[in-house]
Amino acid sequence: SCSIRVGEWAWASALLDEWLANETIGQFYLELFVDRAVLTALRGGDATEDLDRAERLLPGTTDPQYTSYCHWARAWAGFTAGRLSEAQREAEAAAQATNYFEPITLPLAARAALWAGNAPGAAEIVDQMDRSVIKGQATELDRVARRAGIAALEGRRADAISGYREALRGWRGLGLAFDEALTVVDLAAVLAPTEREMTEAQAVIEAARETLRRLGARPLLARLDEATKAAVSSK
């Protein structure tokens, strides 16, 4: 799970394939099927088989985190396929089932709301993130980035640019390459800053594009390309 955020997807995929190559009967294997499903979805593949195998292990479990894991995977599957309302619903359901999933899934729920142009919905989710007792550098940067997106949708462009700059510096400092690249997709999709507004915009977009290519994140790369083309055509 951590390797997704730092951008070590090839290592994670190889390890998961090795672990899941044998017969799996323990319910804790559900997490591994979920992790592989998320990686598959992020790369534009069909995660249905791993999602189904994970959910077949759910009956009889008493720990709600396993239900949250499945919602988390379905949220990413919906998000990468452009089913934003589904992604938001599944991500929120994961946090409702297990409260310590809030920093894992609420940022995705808020991002889905932002991509759908729903600033009030995103703000409600960020308020929930603010109330969470789970704190940390990455969770704070998630809130900064989502607030920047809300500012962008509300037309507060200077606030949005300031927030995105803070988030991108933070992700870079923490070495969270995927979070950095995905925040740039947000930037391009909901703000589309001009060169005058943000002189480094083109450079960070190209860096994000290279990261997403390296990871093989085809749906997100396509969304970045779509956003940048739309910005150019509107000038």
Side-chain angles (χ1 to χ4, degrees):
S1 296
C2 292
S3 72
I4 292 175
R5 300 193 74 164
V6 301
E8 295 294 342
W9 294 9
W11 173 85
S13 293
L15 195 61
L16 287 166
D17 287 345
E18 178 184 343
W19 285 343
L20 292 171
N22 302 315
E23 290 294 324
T24 55
I25 55 173
Q27 288 177 319
F28 62 90
Y29 276 99
L30 181 153
E31 296 180 40
L32 307 183
F33 286 119
V34 162
D35 289 337
R36 192 165 68 177
V38 170
L39 282 167
T40 298
L42 287 170
R43 288 170 164 162
D46 184 355
T48 303
E49 182 178 353
D50 279 332
L51 282 169
D52 289 346
R53 293 177 75 178
E55 289 176 345
R56 284 199 296 271
L57 292 171
L58 271 179
T61 59
T62 57
D63 190 336
Q65 70 168 315
Y66 293 115
T67 299
S68 293
Y69 271 114
C70 291
H71 284 303
W72 176 58
R74 291 208 173 274
W76 272 118
F79 185 78
T80 54
R83 301 189 301 271
L84 299 176
S85 60
E86 174 188 324
Q88 180 180 339
R89 183 175 64 252
E90 292 285 356
E92 289 182 299
Q96 290 165 2
T98 316
N99 63 359
Y100 55 79
F101 264 70
E102 289 178 350
I104 300 170
T105 63
L106 289 183
L108 177 55
R111 174 172 272 128
L114 289 171
W115 283 26
N118 182 5
E124 288 182 10
I125 298 168
V126 172
D127 286 344
Q128 187 178 348
M129 292 164 63
D130 288 340
R131 293 192 298 270
S132 175
V133 298
I134 302 172
K135 307 295 182 183
Q137 291 175 292
T139 56
E140 175 55 28
L141 289 172
D142 273 322
R143 290 194 290 270
V144 169
R146 298 312 174 275
R147 290 191 193 105
I150 294 166
L153 291 181
E154 291 178 346
R156 296 182 285 112
R157 297 182 67 83
D159 290 340
I161 290 168
S162 176
Y164 278 128
R165 280 175 168 154
E166 180 183 348
L168 292 173
R169 284 195 303 268
W171 295 134
R172 200 169 304 120
L174 292 178
L176 299 180
F178 179 54
D179 288 279
E180 182 181 354
L182 194 46
T183 298
V184 174
V185 183
D186 296 340
L187 170 75
V190 304
L191 182 64
T194 65
E195 186 176 358
R196 174 174 290 185
E197 289 177 309
M198 192 175 184
T199 56
E200 73 275 25
Q202 190 57 41
V204 298
I205 287 171
E206 288 306 316
R209 184 174 281 120
E210 179 55 35
T211 296
L212 296 173
R213 283 186 184 134
R214 173 178 66 81
L215 296 176
R218 295 193 303 274
L220 304 173
L221 183 60
R223 184 67 185 93
L224 179 61
D225 289 342
E226 175 188 335
T228 53
K229 287 176 183 175
V232 169
S233 64
S234 66
K235 291 179 180 178

